[in-house]
Amino acid sequence: MNGRATAPAAGTVLNALANETGSAFAIDSELTATVELTNDGPITGEVADTTDADTRLIERCVELIVERFGDDEGGTVRTTGDIPMAAGLKSSSAAANATVLATLDALDVTYPREDAARIGVQAARDVGVTVTGAFDDASASMLGGLTITDNARDELLKHEAVEWDVLVWTPNEQAFSADADVARCEQIGPMADLVADLAMAGEYGRAMTVNGLAFCAALQFPTDPLVTAMSHADGVSLSGTGPSFTAIGDRAALERVREIWQTYEGNIWMTTTQTDGAQRG
C-alpha cells in the first residue's frame, strides 16, 4: 500500500505566539511525502539528504492516521523537497500535511483536508515541535491561499485566495519554533491584536509589516530587512519565528528589494503565492 502527497511552504502575516491568533499564506515551494505501508512492523521516517533529521513528526502523522483509519500497519515515510528546514517557512507543517495525505492515499481513505490538517497539528503537539499547534501554518499549507485561525481552538476564521509575488530571504542560520521566547512574544499582545484586526479587514500588507516590526523586536531579529523593503513592498515580515523574511507586492518593486537584500548573506529567491494547497497523488 503506497501513497504520495505534496504540500507547500508558507509565509507569515501574523505570528500566533502572542495571542494565539495566527495568519499565514501558502507559497509556491513544495515538499513531497511518500508512504509505504506494510501489514505490520514499526513506522520509520526519513528526510531526504539529511542524515540526522528529527523524523518524529512524520512518523507520528503516519501513526495517527493508521490508528484512526488503518489496521495496525507499519511502514516507512520519506520526505523530500525544496523548503529549507527551521527557516520560518513552515517546513514542519508542510511535512505533516504531506505525510497525513500520503498515508490517507495509501489507505485509499477520503477525508476533508481541513480536518486532515488538524491531525498534523495534533502530531506536532504530540512530539513537541510547536508551541501553538500552528494551525495557521498548517491550514495555509493544506488549503492554499491565506488563512486566519484561532490556534487555541484550531478554528479557521478566514480563508481567501490571494495572488501575490513573493520575495524570500533566508539567512544561513536556523531557528526552531519550539525554542522561541514565548514570554517576550506575549508582551507584544496589543500589537498582535492590531495585526489581527488589520488581517481580518483584508489589509494583509500592513498587517505583515506591523507583525514583522513587533516580532523582530520580541525575538531579537534585525529590523533592517524590513525598513529597507517598506518603501517598495506592499508588506514585509519576519516569517514565523525566523530567520527568513518575506515581502509581497509587485514583481518589479520586489526586484528592487532583491537588490537590497542581496547585500545580506543567505539565499534570496522570488516565488508566488500558491492557491491549490496540499494534494494527494
Side-chain angles (χ1 to χ4, degrees):
M1 295 180 286
N2 299 330
R4 181 181 183 276
T6 59
T12 295
V13 173
L14 170 58
N15 189 315
L17 284 177
N19 61 8
E20 297 187 304
T21 300
S23 179
F25 58 94
I27 61 176
D28 195 16
S29 178
E30 291 187 334
L31 179 148
T32 298
T34 54
V35 171
E36 182 177 351
L37 297 179
T38 56
N39 291 332
D40 53 26
I43 293 170
T44 60
E46 176 188 349
V47 177
D49 302 322
T50 309
T51 56
D52 59 347
D54 186 346
T55 58
R56 293 175 301 155
L57 174 60
I58 56 177
E59 290 165 357
R60 183 59 179 154
C61 286
V62 177
E63 289 173 359
L64 289 175
I65 295 298
V66 166
E67 288 171 5
R68 185 174 301 195
F69 301 105
D71 188 24
D72 296 324
E73 289 89 353
T76 60
V77 52
R78 184 177 190 269
T79 62
T80 184
D82 56 3
I83 306 173
M85 296 176 63
L89 299 173
K90 328 306 183 188
S91 60
S92 293
S93 292
N97 285 341
T99 300
V100 166
L101 290 188
T103 311
L104 290 169
D105 190 45
L107 293 170
D108 196 23
V109 172
T110 301
Y111 195 65
R113 286 194 301 168
E114 184 178 327
D115 292 330
R118 292 187 175 94
I119 294 176
V121 167
Q122 179 185 339
R125 289 188 176 121
D126 288 349
V127 301
V129 299
T130 177
V131 175
T132 68
F135 185 56
D136 50 339
D137 303 341
S139 61
S141 173
M142 182 67 84
L143 302 176
L146 178 144
T147 61
I148 304 174
T149 62
D150 179 339
N151 283 10
R153 298 179 175 83
D154 292 342
E155 179 182 355
L156 184 64
L157 303 176
K158 186 175 183 179
H159 179 212
E160 181 177 343
V162 292
E163 296 185 359
W164 303 327
D165 289 310
V166 183
L167 183 68
V168 182
W169 169 49
T170 301
N172 294 326
E173 66 266 23
Q174 293 183 316
F176 293 91
S177 299
D179 296 335
D181 190 334
V182 178
R184 281 182 62 87
C185 293
E186 289 174 344
Q187 291 176 344
I188 61 170
M191 296 305 294
D193 290 339
L194 171 60
V195 175
D197 290 342
L198 288 169
M200 288 299 292
E203 297 189 48
Y204 303 124
R206 292 180 64 196
M208 279 182 69
T209 303
V210 175
N211 177 85
L213 289 169
F215 278 92
C216 278
L219 297 171
Q220 302 183 55
F221 282 95
T223 57
D224 190 61
L226 304 174
V227 174
T228 56
M230 279 184 199
S231 62
H232 306 285
D234 293 339
V236 58
S237 183
L238 181 73
S239 193
T241 56
S244 294
F245 289 76
T246 57
I248 63 170
D250 176 78
R251 181 168 287 256
L254 292 182
E255 288 291 354
R256 175 59 184 140
V257 179
R258 186 207 290 262
E259 293 175 5
I260 299 168
W261 283 2
Q262 281 177 339
T263 62
Y264 308 144
E265 292 185 359
N267 185 32
I268 299 172
W269 40 289
M270 188 82 73
T271 184
T272 64
T273 50
Q274 198 260 39
T275 57
D276 294 331
Q279 301 291 324
R280 291 168 54 159

